[in-house]
Amino acid sequence: MSKLVTIYGGSGFVGRYIARRMAKDGWRVRVAVRRPNEALFVRPYGVPGQVEPVLCNIRDDASVRAVMQGADAVVNCVGILNRSGKNTFEAVQSEGAARVARIATELAVPHLVQLSAIGASKTSDSDYARSKAEGEEAVLAAYPTAVILRPSVIFGTEDQFFNRFAGMAKMAPILPVVGANTRFQPVYVDDVAKAAVLAATGQAAPGIYELGGPDVTRFGDLMTKMLAVIHRRRLVLNVPFFAARLMGGAFDLMQALTLGLFENKILTRDQVRNLARDNVVAQGAKGFADLGIAPTSIDSVLPEYLWPYRPSGQYAAIKDSAKNLKKA
């Protein structure tokens, strides 16, 4: 019988790529999510019955334990960018990660992979970064041989980074950017999935790996690159941090006053704190090279999924070609 992997958050942006790769390698894949009916799209990743979404709440011991039974590997991809109801940073990224690791140890699961983030630090003033670091510490305390992956900002077809800003550029003449001079090292989602699969299958040494792409680029320059890909001319406006903090505070207040009916997916104060720091691989840290993976460049991927934001959409390349014929 083929081996079984349980992927917490397996229908999310990164999780689905890991699930697809594990299924391709012949593993049975259990995709643990809060809403299995919204994760049915993962089933075609394998043959009938190979990939199955199952109900799980990472805040509950019994729920986490039930979906981990019989697993040969566990991958935890669960994370949030903004608190919502009981899903706080501490409950999900700190206590949730600790719960998965503790139960994996109790059930003697051979391999555990924890998805964290570059910038995780217990001394950070960001709840996101601090809870990620607390989660890492708890994981290593309960499961010392775990592999922890810290990616920079992740890009890919379903991302909420380039897609979000491309959508804004499609509608407005100005593209506001908080922290235009902050440096990022964008990493392709499938490269992160490759690293997770190596770890889940025991082909990566235990420890922390920081994952960044081949390009270190300022936030503002990334937006300029994106605009060139979607063939739009927009003013990239650097929003001062003091103004961004006021905006984030206002949106956070709206979420609090509406008791969560308005969910702040625009800008939070915590995100502003993170945007004030570079998001690049630390010097001397283990990374893709130690895993034998050559990271994918932004330029080779962005045009493949941002074309819908071009003025002529899928016909943009044809029109560009026609212009060249006229010139000839």
Side-chain angles (χ1 to χ4, degrees):
M1 184 178 293
S2 58
K3 291 186 176 182
L4 169 67
V5 59
T6 297
I7 306 177
Y8 294 91
S11 66
F13 178 36
V14 180
R16 67 184 68 185
Y17 282 80
I18 300 173
R20 185 185 292 116
R21 282 191 164 273
M22 295 295 282
K24 186 177 179 181
D25 288 347
W27 285 62
R28 289 181 296 131
V29 183
R30 191 178 283 160
V31 176
V33 292
R34 285 187 299 156
R35 302 182 182 89
N37 59 309
E38 296 179 7
L40 298 179
F41 63 86
V42 301
R43 284 182 169 176
Y45 292 170
V47 298
Q50 184 183 1
V51 183
E52 287 295 331
V54 294
L55 176 65
C56 177
N57 185 338
I58 201 170
R59 303 194 316 271
D60 178 71
D61 267 40
S63 180
V64 170
R65 186 184 301 276
V67 299
M68 199 186 295
Q69 295 288 345
D72 298 285
V74 167
V75 183
N76 181 21
C77 299
V78 179
I80 58 174
L81 292 175
N82 180 32
R83 65 171 296 164
S84 177
K86 294 182 179 179
N87 290 318
T88 64
F89 288 114
E90 291 74 18
V92 174
Q93 298 184 164
S94 178
E95 296 169 12
R99 180 172 294 108
V100 170
R102 172 172 52 80
I103 294 175
T105 297
E106 293 172 4
L107 297 181
V109 177
H111 302 291
L112 171 64
V113 186
Q114 170 72 22
L115 197 69
S116 186
I118 284 180
S121 171
K122 288 190 67 177
T123 60
S124 175
D125 60 351
S126 160
D127 293 334
Y128 174 84
R130 187 172 60 255
S131 61
K132 280 289 189 183
E134 291 171 351
E136 289 182 5
E137 184 178 66
V139 166
L140 292 175
Y143 199 114
T145 58
V147 172
I148 295 175
L149 303 178
R150 290 178 173 177
S152 182
V153 61
I154 305 175
F155 69 93
T157 305
E158 304 87 357
D159 72 42
Q160 293 300 313
F161 185 67
F162 286 113
N163 276 299
R164 178 183 180 184
F165 286 101
M168 292 168 59
K170 189 176 180 180
M171 304 298 294
I174 298 175
L175 193 62
V177 174
V178 178
N181 293 316
T182 300
R183 297 185 305 152
F184 289 95
Q185 197 169 348
V187 57
Y188 183 42
V189 61
D190 200 39
D191 290 340
V192 178
K194 289 178 185 178
V197 171
L198 288 175
T201 54
Q203 300 177 68
I208 298 175
Y209 296 81
E210 297 204 348
L211 308 181
D215 309 302
V216 176
T217 313
R218 295 187 315 120
F219 193 0
D221 293 335
L222 286 174
M223 294 299 97
T224 300
K225 186 184 292 288
M226 177 272 295
L227 289 170
V229 170
I230 66 174
H231 300 176
R232 293 183 184 274
R233 298 179 63 182
R234 298 290 186 266
L235 173 64
V236 179
L237 179 65
N238 184 21
V239 180
F241 283 111
F242 78 86
R245 285 191 289 270
L246 291 175
M247 292 167 58
F251 291 132
D252 284 346
L253 181 60
M254 287 176 62
Q255 176 171 305
L257 293 177
T258 60
L259 302 180
L261 292 177
F262 165 78
E263 186 176 350
N264 184 7
K265 295 182 178 181
I266 303 171
L267 181 70
T268 69
R269 286 173 296 183
D270 203 66
Q271 289 168 353
V272 174
R273 297 185 191 107
N274 280 317
L275 287 169
R277 300 182 183 86
D278 289 341
N279 195 267
V280 299
V281 173
Q283 188 173 5
K286 290 197 295 185
F288 279 128
D290 300 275
L291 298 170
I293 298 173
T296 307
S297 69
I298 302 172
D299 295 334
S300 64
V301 177
L302 286 190
E304 297 298 319
Y305 69 93
L306 290 185
W307 58 263
Y309 301 100
R310 293 172 178 170
S312 301
Q314 61 184 318
Y315 302 107
I318 297 174
K319 292 181 70 174
D320 288 344
S321 179
K323 289 178 182 178
N324 292 331
L325 288 174
K326 289 179 181 179
K327 291 179 181 179

